[in-house]
Structures are given as C-alpha cells and as structure tokens.
Amino acid sequence: MNKSITYSCPSNIALVKYWGKKEGGVQLPANASISWSLSDLRATTTVQVSPKKAASPQLAFLLDGIPKPSFEPKINNFLKRIEPVLPFLGEVDLHISSMNNFPHGAGIASSAAGFGAMAMALVEAEGQLEIGSAAFLQKASFCARLGSGSASRSVYGEPAIWGLTQSYNGSSDEYAVPFTADIHSDLSNWMDAVMIVDAGEKSVSSTEGHALLSEHAYAESRFDQAQKNLNEILSVLQTGEVERFIALVESEALQLHAMMMSSIPYYMLMRPHTISIIQEIWNYRRETSLPICFTLDAGANVHVLFDARYQEDIQNFINTRLLSYCQNGLYLCSATGGKPEKL
Ligand code: DP6
C-alpha cells in the first residue's frame, strides 16, 4: 500500500488529572480523568505508508521538517504496542513528519497532540473503519493511549473522559470517550492562556512521575479523591456551578503537585513565578469576581482558564499583571473544544 494521510490534532488540558498507572497493564490509568481540548495548540502530522523494503519495517521521523532519530525509539515502541490492533504495520515502512503550531522549547508537551494525530492517521491508513465514526475515534484513542496516556483524550472535540469510572457509562481504561451531556452555557466556552514560566526540559518526566505513585504513601487516597472530583465535575459542567468548578480544578492542580512533592524521591516542578501567577489570579478573582482560575500540568507553566466572554478584561489582566512572570514574556492562548481535523 502507498498512502499519505495528514491529521491536525489538538493538545488537551486535564481538569481532573491522570497521575499514576494501574499495576500489571500497559498504559492503564490508576484513576479516570477529564480534559478540554486546546483548539489552537495543535500538532499536524503526515504519515506516509509504503510497502516495506527490508525484512523488518523501517521508520523515519521528522519534527518541523528536521529528521529526529532520537524520537524514533519511543515511536517504534508505540508502533510495536499498536501492531496487534493494526497488523498492517508489520508489512510497511513509515515516514512520519510532525509539526507543532506553537514554539518549540516552550515547555509545552506536544506528545498528546502528536500521538493523537499519528494514531488517527494510522487508523485511517488501515482502512477498516469509517473515518470519523465512533468506532474509528475509539480505536484512534486506544492507539494514542499506547503512545502517551493523555493523548487518548486528544481525538475528541468534546470534553474527553479516560479511565473506567462508575460516574460515566461506556468509560474505559483502554480508550477515552467523549462527554456528550449538554454543558451549561457558563462552562461551555472557556479559554486557556498558558503562561510560559519555564521553557526548559522538566527535571522529572511525566512517565517517571507516574511510576513514583506505585510506592506512594498517599496514592490510594489520591485515587479516591480523583474519583470524587470527577464525579462532581461531570455534574458541575451540566449545572454551571462555576465557583465549584473553579474549586475542583484548582484543587486537582495542587493535588497533582502535592503528589510530586510527597513522592520518594520528592521533587518540585513549580517555580517561584508559578506561585506568583497563582497568587495574582487569586487576588484578581477576589477583586473582580470574574470566572477565572488556574490549572497546572506536570511542569512550571500555568494554564489560566477563563470564560471567553471576559476575554478583554482577562487579556488586560494578563498583560499588566502576569506577563512579567513569563519567560521572555511568552504565553500561548487557545480556545477549548476544537476537534481534530483530517487535512
Ligand atoms: C500531569 O500522558 O504525559 O498531564 O502516559 O506516561 O505518556 P504518559 O504520561 P502523560 O501524563 C500526563 C499527566 C498530566 C495530567 C493529565 O494530562 O491528565
């Protein structure tokens, strides 16, 4: 087969965090999580498939047009994991070229968007499922998960739930599902401005961080807490209780970092400017009562979440009170809720 398939896939930001993997499985989450897609922070990935020329399949990977052999072991591992569900991979060579629409070295993880786009292109290349159908998206999510857990949530435009939970019918540890309930208008159109506090490489990767949960003294209570928070956030998204939403999202971010700080060995990814930004957000919210809050992923950058109806005010707040804490004044703004696109 000779095919060239391109997908653009959004990154995502978790509201309830995936932190810790189940023992005895491959990339199964210890608790269920939910995220918003980040419409304007995307990876665009072209997968070219051709019949294999040597005894074993060959891979070439380019990032922003530049060959990146250092990424190939991770991608080969991903391809090996998904070959049982995409057996054609044993018969083809792959040339994969990926581009992010946000600057490199911004300290923003691109693996969720990148594996999401790659998985969608590979599932389409197999040609077994109707493009964009529920079964197609589920299989793409299943495959993306085997590249990076959070990537499983990047194949949907709706809020995505990954991990088996009694709070949502049809949920699974093996793939994410879209949250299809009607979202209240006060929570259906939020934006994310990512304050780049530290553009450098993280001292401890997410994968290493997850592994530290297996011996963590507080792991079980964290997983219980995540389950309760997920259950509540699913209801809050429908009722539009914004104050409760804010409390849950900020608590999730701080619990994630509290788990890092109480791992053995302990570590800290927040930086002084991370804390300053959080305090500015709390002050501003007290002063204005506007719907704005923060979340964090596994790094120092701060995601400022806010209702898009107040974009002008919040843009002004960012410019006057947050930009000085950003490395080189850099921040990236995105709408939420965008879908992947086939190009
Ligand atoms: C803090 O998905 O990057 O962003 O599955 O090992 O690739 P791997 O980890 P990854 O972990 C993301 C963790 C998080 C929270 C989240 O996105 O839910």
Side-chain angles (χ1 to χ4, degrees):
M1 76 163 68
N2 274 299
K3 285 182 181 174
S4 175
I5 299 167
T6 303
Y7 272 87
S8 147
C9 190
S11 183
N12 70 77
I13 181 69
L15 304 172
V16 171
K17 308 293 179 182
Y18 147 55
W19 199 239
K21 304 184 191 192
K22 280 198 176 117
E23 306 280 322
V26 182
Q27 290 284 92
L28 302 176
N31 64 266
S33 56
I34 182 168
S35 62
W36 276 340
S37 72
L38 297 177
S39 321
D40 304 308
L41 301 179
R42 287 176 172 265
T44 299
T45 304
T46 299
V47 174
Q48 286 170 282
V49 182
S50 54
K52 71 176 178 187
K53 291 185 203 70
S56 54
Q58 301 297 306
L59 166 72
F61 179 75
L62 285 77
L63 191 60
D64 294 332
I66 300 163
K68 290 276 177 194
S70 62
F71 283 56
E72 286 166 13
K74 192 164 184 200
I75 296 170
N76 270 321
N77 191 32
F78 162 65
L79 295 170
K80 223 170 274 137
R81 282 177 175 174
I82 63 175
E83 199 181 312
V85 296
L86 293 176
F88 79 95
L89 290 173
E91 304 304 321
V92 296
D93 289 338
L94 294 176
H95 181 281
I96 301 176
S97 173
S98 198
M99 270 177 346
N100 300 321
N101 71 346
F102 45 89
H104 253 319
I108 300 229
S110 54
S111 59
F115 279 114
M118 232 185 287
M120 295 187 88
L122 290 170
V123 171
E124 180 174 326
E126 188 195 28
Q128 296 287 321
L129 297 168
E130 186 192 333
I131 296 168
S133 64
F136 175 96
L137 295 174
Q138 185 170 306
K139 187 161 183 173
S141 175
F142 177 100
C143 292
R145 171 198 120 232
L146 292 168
S148 178
S150 53
S152 66
R153 301 184 307 238
S154 264
V155 307
Y156 301 105
E158 298 91 345
I161 298 169
W162 173 44
L164 183 64
T165 167
Q166 292 192 337
S167 304
Y168 197 63
N169 270 342
S171 60
S172 169
D173 283 343
E174 296 194 316
Y175 47 82
V177 292
F179 181 49
T180 54
D182 283 336
I183 309 288
H184 191 279
S185 56
D186 287 350
L187 286 168
S188 62
N189 187 19
W190 280 47
M191 299 186 73
D192 183 358
V194 194
M195 303 293 125
I196 308 301
V197 168
D198 189 346
E201 187 94 347
K202 288 181 278 190
S203 55
V204 180
S205 73
S206 288
T207 303
E208 290 162 336
H210 286 290
L212 293 174
L213 272 274
S214 63
E215 302 280 314
H216 199 296
Y218 307 142
E220 285 311 317
S221 57
R222 161 62 198 153
F223 303 148
D224 287 349
Q225 196 68 51
Q227 169 51 40
K228 288 192 186 108
N229 288 345
L230 179 77
N231 192 49
E232 197 178 347
I233 218 161
L234 294 183
S235 133
V236 161
L237 285 169
Q238 297 168 79
T239 58
E241 296 154 87
V242 174
E243 269 181 41
R244 198 57 207 140
F245 173 83
I246 287 173
L248 289 164
V249 167
E250 292 191 342
S251 170
E252 273 292 316
L254 294 178
Q255 280 186 35
L256 167 69
H257 283 258
M259 294 307 282
M260 297 174 193
M261 290 190 258
S262 50
S263 293
I264 298 173
Y266 49 81
Y267 64 108
M268 194 189 289
L269 297 181
M270 289 193 280
R271 292 281 166 267
H273 284 178
T274 311
I275 311 280
S276 300
I277 291 172
I278 291 173
Q279 279 168 339
E280 288 286 357
I281 292 169
W282 284 346
N283 290 339
Y284 181 71
R285 196 165 69 222
R286 213 172 297 121
E287 291 158 23
T288 63
S289 301
L290 288 180
I292 178 172
C293 64
F294 73 90
T295 187
L296 305 165
D297 57 17
N301 300 331
V302 184
H303 291 248
V304 184
L305 301 177
F306 58 93
D307 187 330
R309 289 177 290 198
Y310 302 95
Q311 188 176 2
E312 215 177 297
D313 290 302
I314 286 162
Q315 197 75 57
N316 193 32
F317 160 65
I318 290 172
N319 288 339
T320 54
R321 286 164 66 177
L322 300 189
L323 270 199
S324 59
Y325 298 115
C326 298
Q327 209 171 336
N328 304 321
L330 181 63
Y331 79 98
L332 305 170
C333 202
S334 175
T336 63
K339 283 187 188 312
E341 283 167 24
K342 177 179 156 57
L343 301 179

